Amino acid sequence: QVQLVESGGGLVQAGGSLRLSCAASGSIFSINAMGWYRQAPGKQRELVAAATSGGSRNYADSVKGRFTISRDNAKNTVYLQMNSLKPEDTAVYYCNADVAFKYSDPTFRYWGQGTQVTVSL
């Protein structure tokens, strides 16, 4: 029903930048929150940043001031601009979207397949 396709991951040196994109497609009426999580080896998945359709933004303390989340609601796409990257940012990054299929319906959360971000010294 809904697919989330991520792009933009890769290998970068510490201090560098990457921009992740995630586009949602399918029978979507509206999307409430969209966000990014990450999971490093041996660790739990954690929230990186989230953005609601109303414009609210939420960031993990570890990325505040370095990462910026943005949305293009017309394209059902969310972006994550990552600057001043550190080796500890290395992880698989997953996007998600809370999707409604009809007006006033509850939302369902969908996940992307993940994209690897590796930050070297």
Side-chain angles (χ1 to χ4, degrees), residues 40-57:
K43 295 188 176 181
Q44 288 188 329
R45 191 175 295 190
E46 62 175 1
L47 174 68
V48 177
T52 69
S53 58
S56 297
R57 304 289 185 261

Side-chain angles (χ1 to χ4, degrees), residues 50-98:
T52 69
S53 58
S56 297
R57 304 289 185 261
N58 184 35
Y59 295 94
D61 288 341
S62 60
V63 307
K64 283 180 181 176
R66 300 188 298 123
F67 291 10
T68 301
I69 189 169
S70 61
R71 289 178 58 165
D72 184 334
N73 292 327
K75 295 182 179 180
N76 289 333
T77 299
V78 63
Y79 306 95
L80 185 68
Q81 178 66 43
M82 304 185 294
N83 299 328
S84 302
L85 283 160
K86 305 175 181 180
E88 50 264 43
D89 294 318
T90 295
V92 178
Y93 284 69
Y94 299 90
C95 71
N96 66 25
D98 293 338

